Amino acid sequence: MPRFLLKRIAIMPLLLLGVVTIAFVISRLLPANPIASIVGQRNLGNEVIVAAAEKKWGLDQPIIVQYFNYIGNLFTGDLGTSFVTKSPVLSDLADRLPATLELAVVALVIGAVGGILLGVISAARKDRLPDQLSRLFALVGSSLPIFWTGLLFLFVFYAQLGIAPGPGRLSARVIPPEQVTGFYTVDSLLAGNPALFWDAFTHLLLPAFIMGWGLMGTISRLVRASMLDELGADYVRTVRAKGVSEGQLLRHHVLRNSLTPVVTVLGFAFGALLMSAVLVETIFSWNGIGSYAVEATRALDYPAINGVSLLGGAVFLLANLVTDVTYAVVDPRVRLT
């Protein structure tokens, strides 16, 4: 295990360098100029202002020089300064990341718990009405586009029925809690404010469900297939012959052995949820990494684009590493090499 971890950690910087390089090259190849987001539309015709801005931000240098300057700054922990916010990208990411993490964690819990429950119901009631309804619900969640589902749910449950709060992390004119973790639900509890916690929690449920619904469908199908395979194993007949009830058999034997493949899905799913939050955050006005990435792309904010790409690459690499290690811990038959 230690040798495996050292090898994986040692290769991560090279992989992240590749991610940053690809993002850097693609952003520079786009047929657009970020100078408009720097000086504003009114000053585009002023050659003096444009030249001064290009010199200040290093855009007057050859691309290869810009690249090596950026890589050199990375080794000092400098991700550059955003063209739009005029703040260090590292600071912007640190401010925005907790909002996305809170959303992704709740979506992961909803997807995992809901998916496992649906999978167990489907396997226990194979080819019956509960199985068919569970599979239909999972199929719909996996098939519908997130942006369409988000808009539909927001229109129905907020605009029409009024049973869900509107976009945003908190209601209008509600003051956020003092930042400790960046999670509004956690920080409101730490501040001893249950009303604020409930407001933050209710705002979190709908976008988190939208994100977790697709994962729920994937996990439910995986659990159902694994449990059906386990139900045909020899040890199941032995356990039944000992007089164990069907409920105990499913909970303590079949389900436990069927959850190993779910570990792999959950690890990759968490990284995917973080990076797929773009649409949900845009629809629900969620001030996280996803909305930050959209703003950076619209303005062709080179430092912000590279920073988001670097963060996304790091998240996927860490999720992959944690998944492999967890898989080996859950299943002793797996050897890490």
Side-chain angles (χ1 to χ4, degrees), residues 130-166:
D131 178 27
Q132 295 173 354
L133 293 177
S134 299
R135 291 166 66 184
L136 177 62
F137 183 78
L139 178 63
V140 171
S142 302
S143 304
L144 292 179
I146 288 181
F147 71 89
W148 188 87
T149 308
L151 291 173
L152 176 64
F153 276 46
L154 196 60
F155 174 75
V156 173
F157 294 103
Y158 166 63
Q160 297 297 316
L161 300 180
I163 60 177

Side-chain angles (χ1 to χ4, degrees), residues 98-109 204 208 211 269-270 273-274 277:
T100 303
L101 281 176
E102 185 177 33
L103 185 60
V105 167
V106 176
L108 186 70
V109 172
L204 183 61
M211 289 179 60
F270 184 69
L273 286 173
L274 284 177

Side-chain angles (χ1 to χ4, degrees), residues 95-106 169 177-190 197 200 204 270 274 286:
D95 290 339
R96 300 275 194 132
L97 183 59
T100 303
L101 281 176
E102 185 177 33
L103 185 60
V105 167
V106 176
R169 298 182 68 187
E178 182 180 355
Q179 183 167 339
V180 179
T181 64
F183 288 24
Y184 282 0
T185 51
V186 176
D187 291 347
S188 58
L189 290 177
L190 294 177
F197 164 79
L204 183 61
F270 184 69
L274 284 177
W286 203 266

Side-chain angles (χ1 to χ4, degrees), residues 39 114 132 180 249 287:
V39 302
Q132 295 173 354
V180 179
L249 171 65
N287 196 29

